[in-house]
Amino acid sequence: MRRTRFRTGTTLLAVAALAPLASLTATAGPTTAPATALTTASATAPTAVPAKPFVQGTTTVAAYDYANAIHERIEVDVPRLDGDANGIADRITVDVIRPGEAAGAGVDVPVIIQASPYYAGDNKAYFDGNGVRQVFGSWLDNYFVPRGYAVAFVDMPGTFRSTGCSDVGADLEVLGTKAVVDWLNHRVPGYNADGSRARADWSTGKAGMIGVSWNGTIANSVASTGVRGLETIVPIAAISSWYDYTRGFGVPFYDEYMGFLHDYVSNDASPRCVELTNEIEQDSDTRTGSYSKWWDPRNYNLDARNVRSSVYVVHGLGDENVKTRHFGEWWDQLARYNVPRKIFLHQGVHLDGFSFREQWVDKLHPWFDYWLQGLKNGVMQTPQATVQREDGTFYDEPRWPAVGARQTTLKLSKVSGAKTGGLSIAAASSDPVSFTGTDEPSADTVVLDPTTVRPDRAVFLSDELEKAVRVTGTGKVSVRVKVNKVAAGIKARLVDYGTASRYTNVTNVPNTSVCWGDGNALDTGCYPDTQVNTGVSDTSVVVRTLADVGHYKSLYSKESLQSGRWYDLSFELNADDVVFAAGHRLGLVLTVEPDNPSIPFTGATITLDPARSSLTLPLTGYTAALQTAAPPQSRIPATRLAQPEPERDPAELMRQMVEASR
């Protein structure tokens, strides 16, 4: 099948009806003037505003020919920044594609920017003999250039054709990429391949940044500088804190991961960039897993108050690469500072929103039209949130977290002789619970068959729900524990026990081709259609969060644990949005984990005091069944997990990041 998609969609037509047609002509001046003022009046008479054929009512439409688009390669100066220490200011390479007809008619256009550290992996055939990019490997240019936008693809500092050095999310990377927005607004110089000045006099100065994974992360970071001219960002599966990307409350996810990340993207064009790999790894302090001020420039939540742009957050609720904690913390900070925002949550893993094709494009298109083209289409009066539910269907909602969500504390309890513990609002008498871990991390299968006694876990279950209950937002686990070794990690898994048809993945539909915009022989802009797949399962791990008991006081310091001493530890769960259906049970499963992959761990036993421990969740719905918890009287069938085990190989995670960014 092949079809071309040039429609606006019923959603856009409905939105367009909310606002009047914007005026496209200048107001006429005076019709008469004194004779002595004739020359001046003629010189200053209003000129006609260039026509914008790509604007119809309050939406942009495909009006320009992609084949006529102008392709340019620009080198942008980064004043006062010499990351590679070669005595020359860094320069950032920018590939621009913009509508040729707009340039010929004098129509200025806004710019959609996708910055990335991954373009060195692009096919050499994407570039002509002069090194000018002809193929962009994205749907964005095919769709938006005919609609009156320019699209810019940026080699981040120290990667591919840009000079300077990468520093994994800190100032070199951020300020270098920010310079592109400054160039579009005539604040820093840019140069053509022949050395002549390149002026963005074809641009309105309005820019938006979009990208997946690291590409979306740089959008968060540049927005946190407050740069003027960046009107909106669309961070997709993006990091908001590099510490939280590489650590779980003091537990490093992988050994020497920050050094690995730097080495992966760096073009190593200078000795200084090579040196940085080891420096970054040493300064990140994998050996303790602690936070320090070194992480502050890589923690964009700290600078959310500087954000001037609007933000459209996109994230997969099943993403265990860039975990949901990232959008949750960033969203909370944006809300704190009243940043204009929307959110699109899907059930997938580390994916672009475009994986869901029409559902996403019909949201993004009016967003860019409003923030970059200035069209009064009422997009900010439409629902704030789009959430894909467990069965794969999408719903729009007034806001996120959902209206009516309240932080509700559920107490843990375990009576003597019971096979499982209880999870309820009411406090109950409880005995200590001990569970033991080995030298290896636990697998998700540890949550199966929860009514069977096992030494490697502690299980706490709610009663069967009479009606649906929803978790929407960020929860928290608080535990009082003692450990028989000097160190140990603990993992909390929030589990949905109950049979249902649940989302499994999204896949391409064979033998289909949908053209999202215009194209040419090299870059058709056509992609297979996609479909959402579901499957029946009786167990779903909806949240996994890891913490180091040794960081019980603070993330800034790790302490050796003393056997027999009780420690109080609290840590946030990764953000989520999940509906526990009627007849299901909420479950909390705790396990012992290695505290640091770079230090040998021989296993440990944790003893938990349930009476001093709790699970706090942002809940909506009918919570009456959570008032009390009685141990199940019969076996709970739980043998089929809804999702596979999360990936643990850092090289595979990096492959996912690269693929998701394309």
Side-chain angles (χ1 to χ4, degrees), residues 259-277:
F260 167 79
L261 292 168
H262 183 265
D263 183 63
Y264 192 96
V265 302
S266 176
N267 60 20
D268 290 340
S270 105
R272 177 61 191 142
C273 299
V274 176
E275 293 170 358
L276 266 176
T277 293

Side-chain angles (χ1 to χ4, degrees), residues 498-512:
T499 300
S501 180
R502 295 181 172 94
Y503 172 99
T504 55
N505 57 19
V506 57
T507 56
N508 291 339
V509 179
N511 303 316
T512 62

Side-chain angles (χ1 to χ4, degrees), residues 90-109:
D90 296 340
R91 279 195 175 179
I92 307 304
T93 298
V94 186
D95 292 304
V96 176
I97 178 170
R98 53 191 177 93
E101 296 93 338
V107 177
D108 292 345
V109 295

Side-chain angles (χ1 to χ4, degrees), residues 305-645:
R305 64 184 178 279
N306 298 330
V307 175
R308 298 175 183 271
S309 63
S310 62
V311 183
Y312 204 143
V313 171
V314 183
H315 218 101
L317 294 171
D319 195 342
E320 286 291 328
N321 186 331
V322 177
K323 295 174 172 56
T324 56
R325 175 178 179 83
H326 291 275
F327 89 77
E329 291 189 340
W330 186 233
W331 183 262
D332 289 345
Q333 290 301 312
L334 297 175
R336 178 182 180 185
Y337 295 106
N338 297 312
V339 174
R341 63 199 183 280
K342 282 184 181 286
I343 193 166
F344 184 95
L345 298 176
H346 59 82
Q347 290 289 326
V349 290
H350 197 61
L351 298 174
D352 188 354
F354 187 59
S355 298
F356 300 94
R357 299 295 193 262
E358 193 165 332
Q359 286 285 349
W360 170 232
V361 177
D362 280 350
K363 300 292 184 183
L364 180 65
H365 181 182
W367 180 264
F368 276 158
D369 278 358
Y370 180 83
W371 289 103
L372 298 183
Q373 298 284 4
L375 301 181
K376 306 303 181 183
N377 57 16
V379 71
M380 295 308 293
Q381 284 70 56
T382 61
Q384 184 183 70
T386 300
V387 182
Q388 187 182 28
R389 291 268 52 98
E390 290 74 11
D391 64 358
T393 54
F394 285 90
Y395 292 91
D396 289 338
E397 302 195 11
R399 67 177 178 86
W400 197 88
V403 175
R406 297 180 56 187
Q407 292 291 345
T408 305
T409 298
L410 305 177
K411 310 292 179 54
L412 311 187
S413 61
K414 177 68 160 56
V415 297
S416 178
K419 294 181 179 180
T420 69
L423 191 62
S424 66
I425 294 171
S429 61
S430 187
D431 297 326
V433 178
S434 294
F435 47 105
T436 299
T438 67
D439 59 344
E440 293 292 330
S442 65
D444 273 353
T445 51
V446 74
V447 307
L448 296 175
D449 206 6
T451 47
T452 296
V453 176
R454 288 176 49 167
D456 59 347
R457 68 186 185 186
V459 179
F460 301 90
L461 299 173
S462 75
D463 280 348
E464 258 190 29
L465 299 174
E466 300 172 21
K467 298 180 182 178
V469 171
R470 179 178 178 184
V471 175
T472 172
T474 299
K476 182 179 72 173
V477 172
S478 297
V479 293
R480 168 166 280 195
V481 296
K482 55 184 177 181
V483 185
N484 70 339
K485 298 289 181 67
V486 296
I490 186 170
K491 177 174 276 189
R493 291 176 172 90
L494 181 63
V495 186
D496 177 12
Y497 288 108
T499 300
S501 180
R502 295 181 172 94
Y503 172 99
T504 55
N505 57 19
V506 57
T507 56
N508 291 339
V509 179
N511 303 316
T512 62
S513 180
V514 181
C515 297
W516 293 84
D518 202 357
N520 54 37
L522 290 174
D523 185 357
T524 64
C526 302
Y527 299 84
D529 207 348
T530 60
Q531 64 184 17
V532 171
N533 303 307
T534 60
V536 176
S537 58
D538 53 26
T539 309
S540 175
V541 179
V542 296
V543 175
R544 306 166 188 82
T545 305
L546 185 61
D548 176 23
V549 180
H551 281 89
Y552 71 96
K553 279 187 178 179
S554 167
L555 288 177
Y556 283 91
S557 63
K558 178 182 176 69
E559 295 193 13
S560 294
L561 305 175
Q562 300 177 25
S563 181
R565 177 181 170 185
W566 289 101
Y567 296 94
D568 293 308
L569 171 69
S570 291
F571 54 96
E572 287 184 341
L573 292 169
N574 295 325
D576 212 334
D577 195 297
V578 56
V579 174
F580 293 79
H584 289 207
R585 296 176 188 263
L586 282 72
L588 176 66
V589 179
L590 302 175
T591 54
V592 180
E593 309 291 333
D595 66 302
N596 194 307
S598 61
I599 298 173
F601 182 73
T602 58
T605 296
I606 288 180
T607 300
L608 173 81
D609 180 0
R612 301 292 185 91
S613 304
S614 62
L615 169 66
T616 301
L617 297 173
L619 299 179
T620 66
Y622 189 75
T623 60
L626 298 175
Q627 294 297 328
T628 59
Q633 299 302 308
S634 59
R635 176 178 175 270
I636 296 176
T639 59
R640 291 169 294 172
L641 283 170
Q643 60 283 311
E645 186 74 17

Side-chain angles (χ1 to χ4, degrees), residues 8-193:
T8 58
T10 54
T11 301
L12 300 187
L13 293 174
V15 171
L18 297 177
L21 177 66
S23 174
L24 299 179
T25 58
T27 302
T31 56
T32 58
T36 55
L38 181 60
T39 301
T40 302
S42 299
T44 60
T47 57
V49 175
K52 294 184 177 180
F54 54 87
V55 174
Q56 288 187 8
T58 56
T59 189
T60 58
V61 297
Y64 293 141
D65 189 345
Y66 186 85
N68 295 333
I70 297 170
H71 296 243
E72 296 174 298
R73 174 178 169 179
I74 311 296
E75 308 292 332
V76 173
D77 262 353
V78 189
R80 298 179 298 281
L81 192 66
D82 180 15
D84 49 15
N86 65 353
I88 304 172
D90 296 340
R91 279 195 175 179
I92 307 304
T93 298
V94 186
D95 292 304
V96 176
I97 178 170
R98 53 191 177 93
E101 296 93 338
V107 177
D108 292 345
V109 295
V111 185
I112 299 169
I113 299 171
Q114 180 175 281
S116 176
Y118 300 129
Y119 291 138
D122 283 356
N123 192 318
K124 290 183 173 59
Y126 285 6
F127 306 87
D128 68 13
N130 297 317
V132 178
R133 184 183 284 271
Q134 302 300 310
V135 178
F136 295 87
S138 168
W139 68 280
L140 293 169
D141 54 307
N142 304 93
Y143 188 86
F144 284 105
V145 169
R147 288 171 166 79
Y149 292 83
V151 182
F153 292 76
V154 178
D155 296 344
M156 283 164 53
T159 72
F160 198 22
R161 300 163 299 163
S162 290
T163 64
C165 294
S166 167
D167 54 1
V168 192
D171 293 343
L172 297 180
E173 190 172 295
V174 177
L175 297 177
T177 308
K178 168 184 172 290
V180 177
V181 181
D182 287 327
W183 171 67
L184 290 170
N185 287 275
H186 316 294
R187 294 189 289 265
V188 302
Y191 301 90
N192 296 306

